Amino acid sequence: MSIAILGGTGSQGRGLALRFARAGIPVVIGSRDAGRAQAVADELQAQLAGGAAAIDGEDLRGAVAAADEMVILAVPYAAHDATLEAIRDLLEGKTLIDIVVPLAEGDPKAVDMPPAGSATEAAQALLGDSVPVVGALHNVSATTLNNLDHGINCDVLVCGNDLAAKERVIDLIRKLDVQAYNAGPAVNARCIEAITPILIRLNISKKVPFTHAGIRIWAPGA
């Protein structure tokens, strides 16, 4: 199974490409510039030991076409809707995993939610009900993703209106040795996406003695 990561030349996209390829899942990085995408793919492949799956680069449409089923959207929110418009005709029969957080311009410690309520809901409204959109991976530090010497230090909340699609995404995320939970319908992305600026605020606070924090779901007494 090959997955596409649109915005794969950015820090979060790079980290996810490394993690999934190391887990044995072929990745195609998508960018507006196919040459840039392939250069980054080659750079990332060189960081992985033998036995990792292939990382390739394509333009946005080429990456979506190469994905068997899952397409991860990891672009800045400013490019969110335009990117979806450019590929929407290729998404039939596939699941879009939207990891985008609509951070406020000039202030990553706050969100600026779109009229739809969240980036996940905006994507679902734009693509229509025939393409399942699943919100996930919103609260994972890009620095953590790119540091392959350590595991991912958080759980992942997954939301969307299509249960089967959510379950497929949860199975995919668990291949990264991280726990993922069904957090309900797409409307709950309003809460999940809004956690990210809170984490950013904590991570830059001088009163917090660590950075790149994540969230975990704990059992009673754990």
Side-chain angles (χ1 to χ4, degrees), residues 29 66 139 170:
I29 288 174
N139 314 134
I170 287 170

Side-chain angles (χ1 to χ4, degrees), residues 10 13 21-22 39 53 76 80 97 105 148 150 158 162 188 193 205 222:
R22 191 175 67 166
H80 181 270
I97 305 172
E105 185 176 357
L148 297 183
H150 298 283
V158 178
D162 186 310
N188 287 355
E193 293 173 20
S205 171

Side-chain angles (χ1 to χ4, degrees), residues 86-170:
I87 62 166
R88 64 187 302 175
D89 61 310
L90 300 175
L91 288 172
E92 291 294 330
K94 301 182 181 182
T95 297
L96 180 80
I97 305 172
D98 196 328
I99 75 170
V100 178
V101 174
L103 297 175
E105 185 176 357
D107 184 6
K109 302 186 299 301
V111 287
D112 184 10
M113 292 299 192
S118 65
T120 300
E121 292 170 280
Q124 189 67 82
L126 190 153
L127 296 175
D129 292 338
S130 63
V131 177
V133 175
V134 176
L137 295 161
H138 298 107
N139 314 134
V140 185
S141 162
T143 299
T144 296
L145 288 173
N146 281 277
N147 186 354
L148 297 183
D149 293 333
H150 298 283
I152 296 172
N153 63 332
C154 65
D155 297 330
V156 175
L157 301 176
V158 178
C159 63
N161 297 331
D162 186 310
L163 178 59
K166 281 190 290 187
E167 290 177 341
R168 292 191 296 271
V169 172
I170 287 170

Side-chain angles (χ1 to χ4, degrees), residues 16-124:
L16 287 172
L18 286 169
R19 295 275 178 174
F20 280 119
R22 191 175 67 166
I25 300 168
V27 175
V28 183
I29 288 174
S31 174
R32 288 175 296 177
D33 183 336
R36 168 68 173 157
Q38 188 59 57
V40 170
D42 292 342
E43 173 191 328
L44 296 176
Q45 194 81 67
Q47 297 179 39
L48 296 172
I55 303 177
D56 293 309
E58 294 276 359
D59 64 13
L60 294 172
R61 291 179 64 82
V64 175
D68 294 326
E69 181 181 357
M70 304 282 190
V71 177
I72 298 175
L73 185 64
V75 299
Y77 184 69
H80 181 270
D81 290 3
T83 301
L84 291 177
E85 290 282 8
I87 62 166
R88 64 187 302 175
D89 61 310
L90 300 175
L91 288 172
E92 291 294 330
K94 301 182 181 182
T95 297
L96 180 80
I97 305 172
D98 196 328
I99 75 170
V100 178
V101 174
L103 297 175
E105 185 176 357
D107 184 6
K109 302 186 299 301
V111 287
D112 184 10
M113 292 299 192
S118 65
T120 300
E121 292 170 280
Q124 189 67 82

